[in-house]
Amino acid sequence: MTRSDPDSCPGVLRLHQAADGPLARIRVPGGRLSPEQLQTLAAAAVDLSDGHIELTSRGNVQFRQVRDAAALTDRLTAAGLLPSATHERIRNIIASPLSGRVGGWTDVHPLVPALDEGLRAHPRLADLPGRVLFTLDDGRGDVSGLGGDIGVHALDEHTYALLLAGNDTGVRVSAADAVELMLATAHGFLDIRDGQWRLHEIPDGPGRVTEHLLSNHPGLDATGAPVEITARQDIPIGWLNQDDDRVALGAGVRLGSLPARTAEFIAAIERPVFLTPWRSLVITDLEEWAAEQVVRVLAPMGLLFDANSPWLQVSACAGRPGCAKSLTDVRADAAAAVESGRVIPTAATQSAQEGLDAEEIVAAGRQHWSGCDRRCGRPRGPVTDIIATPDGYRITPAE
Ligand code: SF4
C-alpha cells in the first residue's frame, strides 16, 4: 500500500477539528505521569477543554473542545509534557505498565526516556508518521501483541527480541543496545517507506528493515528461536502486590474518559501513575494502608477496582457529537447498556444480529461499540463488534 497523503494524527500543535470542536492529543511516553503532570492535565481539562481527560489505546491522552490551544501549549510545556515542537507526534511509546514493580523479566521503564530522548535527538526522525508505534515489553507479553511497528520483547533479564510489525525478527539485542537498535530501525523504516504510515503497509517491510539492519550492523544476526506474540487481554485491575512489598492499584476508567475531578484526587496521592493502552491506569508505590484509603475514596467516584465490572468489557469510539461520521451517540448507548445490566461480563455465546434498537442490545463479553463501520479505537484480539448502521445496530460476535 502506497499513500500519497501525510498522516493526520493530531497533536497539541496540530489540532484535529472534530465535530464537537478542536481535539488535542498529548503523547505520554511509557504512560508515565508524575503527580504534578497529572494535576496539570486535570486543571487544563477544566480550564481549557470539556473537563475530561480521554485515555487512548496507546496510553496517551486527548482533550476535546479545546478552547485555547496556545494556553494549553504553554501549560504542557511547563509541565514537561511537550518537550519538542518538531517531534511531538512521533513519541508513541508503550511499555509494560507493571514493569519493575510486579513480575516481568526486567524493568523496561528506564528505556522509555532513553528512547524518547533518542527520537527527539534525530532531526530526521521527525519525519516518522504519527501512526508509528514503539513497544517495550518486559517479557510478560502484555504490549508486544498490540500491533506496534518497532518493539523489543524481553526474553530474560539481559536479552531482548526485536519485533517488527508485531512479529519476531529473530534479531537479539542486549538491554544496553536496545534503544540504539530501535532508533536504527526507525531510520531503516524511513529509508524504505514510500509514503506508508505503518511498517506492515510496506511490502515485506519487516524483512527489508531487518536486512537493512543486518547489513549495517555486522555483529547482528537473525537466528533467534521464534517467539510467539499474542494479544493478551488481562488488564491490570485492582490490588497488585509489588515486588518491593508496596502496592499498585489498577483502576479501570469508564469508557476511557477520566473526569478532571477524579484526576485531581489521583494526583493528590502523590505517587507515579501509569496510563495503560487499555484505557485504564495504575497508581503505584502505595503503602497498604494508603492503598485501602485510595480504593475507599476513588471507587465511589467511579474508578473501577473490580476486575469483574461490566464496564471493563465495554469500549466505544467517539460517536456523536464528537464525530461527524457517527450515526448515533454510541457512548451513551453503551453506558445505558452497562447501567441497565445488558452487558454480560462472562463470555456467554453471542449470536450475530442486526437491525437492533439500542435498548434491545444484550451482549456478552468483550465488546466495542462504533458509530460507523470504521470501528475506531477497537481493541485488538477477540472482541464483539456492535456497530451503528442506517438500519439499526449490528452485532458481529468475536471470532
Ligand atoms: S468509528 Fe466511525 S463514528 Fe466512530 S469515531 Fe470512527 S469514524 Fe467516527
Side-chain angles (χ1 to χ4, degrees), residues 351-374:
S351 59
Q353 293 171 277
E354 56 187 31
L356 298 173
D357 290 337
E359 312 79 57
E360 295 178 291
I361 295 173
V362 180
R366 195 72 193 84
Q367 54 196 263
H368 184 71
W369 293 58
S370 304
C372 78
D373 274 319
R374 287 181 65 176

Side-chain angles (χ1 to χ4, degrees), residues 140-217:
R140 77 186 71 213
D142 57 347
V143 304
S144 286
L146 295 176
D149 296 86
I150 299 170
V152 289
H153 183 105
L155 300 177
D156 55 38
E157 292 174 12
H158 310 291
T159 312
Y160 288 95
L162 176 70
L163 311 185
L164 294 182
N167 296 303
D168 184 12
T169 59
V171 173
R172 303 293 177 256
V173 64
S174 70
D177 294 330
V179 166
E180 280 307 314
L181 186 64
M182 294 178 90
L183 295 171
T185 307
H187 281 286
F189 171 72
L190 286 178
D191 288 340
I192 67 165
R193 81 184 269 259
D194 181 18
Q196 293 93 342
W197 297 342
R198 304 291 308 268
L199 185 50
H200 70 79
E201 296 173 351
I202 301 174
D204 193 28
R208 290 166 63 191
V209 171
T210 302
E211 267 178 40
H212 184 89
L213 289 172
L214 298 182
S215 60
N216 287 295
H217 296 76

Side-chain angles (χ1 to χ4, degrees), residues 316-320 322-328 330 368-377:
C317 76
R320 272 192 194 159
C323 178
K325 293 192 176 69
S326 185
L327 294 165
T328 186
V330 280
H368 184 71
W369 293 58
S370 304
C372 78
D373 274 319
R374 287 181 65 176
R375 304 184 297 171
C376 299

